[in-house]
Structure formats: structure tokens, C-alpha cells
Amino acid sequence: MAYALFDTALGRCGLAWSDAGTTAVGLPESDYRNRMTHSLNTCMASANRKFRGALAARLGQPGAAQAVGGALGRNPVPIVIPCHRVLGAGCEVGGFSAPDGASTKEKILSIEGVTGFGEPTLF
């Protein structure tokens, strides 16, 4: 696996990749953000959706779903770190930092083939 470390306005960042594509991203900031980034990196290998509450629990803070959502909203690289795959309870799309917000998030999930997005419905 190849990787690169580089300085940015945010601080030192890292990017790892293989023949299959990007495998991990490292951003500076808080310990909480680093742990969340690590957890999100595990989403990169598949187009599976995750839930904010489950991600908070994985971080050892099961009641922190709102904090997870807030941190995701500050993700400076939303396509590289796949925060679009994280949903609220009941598959709530929530917000997204890209132009057109939640609509763009739904389109990306549909393109990735995530169940429940882009499929025809009866109503």
C-alpha cells in the first residue's frame, strides 16, 4: 500500500491507496475526529450505509449521534471520507456539505447502488 503525508492549511494530512483506490485518509485535529475518520475509513471498501448512532457507539459514545452528525458536517473532503454513507435513524438522509445538500447525497447513494436510494417506488 502506498501513502503520502502532506501539509495543508488544516495541518498535516495523509492519504493511502492501493490498486483498488483510496484506502485511508488521515486528517489533523482532535482525537475524536481522528477516531471518527478511522471509523469512516472502514466504510470506504463497500457502499454500505452506516448510521450516526452506530458510528457514535463504535467510537465508545453511544449517545453522541448528534455530535457525529456535526463532525460529519465539517468534513472538508466529503467524497474522499465517505460521510455521505452515514445516515440518521430510520434512513434519514440529514444534511450534506456539497452543493444541493441532501439531494446530492441521495444521488451519490443511488449511483453507488445503496439499497433504498434510486429504486422505483409505488408512491
Side-chain angles (χ1 to χ4, degrees), residues 1 19 26 43 60 75 89 111 113-114 119 122:
M1 177 177 1
D19 291 339
C43 298
N75 178 3
I111 289 166
V114 175
E119 299 169 347
L122 293 175

Side-chain angles (χ1 to χ4, degrees), residues 49-95:
R49 61 184 176 212
K50 307 295 180 204
F51 297 95
R52 286 191 303 253
L55 186 53
R58 185 176 194 167
L59 293 168
Q61 297 178 325
Q66 284 186 318
V68 166
L72 293 172
R74 293 185 301 277
N75 178 3
V77 285
I79 296 298
V80 176
I81 298 176
C83 60
H84 63 280
R85 295 187 186 149
V86 182
L87 304 172
C91 292
E92 170 195 322
V93 174

Side-chain angles (χ1 to χ4, degrees), residues 17-105:
W17 65 91
S18 70
D19 291 339
T22 304
T23 57
V25 175
L27 297 175
E29 214 171 288
S30 68
D31 180 54
Y32 180 76
R33 179 158 188 169
N34 287 337
R35 289 186 297 137
M36 188 169 66
T37 299
H38 175 74
S39 292
L40 282 171
N41 282 333
T42 64
C43 298
M44 296 177 82
S46 69
N48 293 331
R49 61 184 176 212
K50 307 295 180 204
F51 297 95
R52 286 191 303 253
L55 186 53
R58 185 176 194 167
L59 293 168
Q61 297 178 325
Q66 284 186 318
V68 166
L72 293 172
R74 293 185 301 277
N75 178 3
V77 285
I79 296 298
V80 176
I81 298 176
C83 60
H84 63 280
R85 295 187 186 149
V86 182
L87 304 172
C91 292
E92 170 195 322
V93 174
F96 189 53
S97 60
D100 293 327
S103 175
T104 298
K105 184 174 183 174

Side-chain angles (χ1 to χ4, degrees), residues 3-15 25-29 76-77:
Y3 71 93
L5 298 175
F6 48 95
D7 293 318
T8 71
L10 297 171
R12 183 154 270 219
C13 296
L15 183 65
V25 175
L27 297 175
E29 214 171 288
V77 285

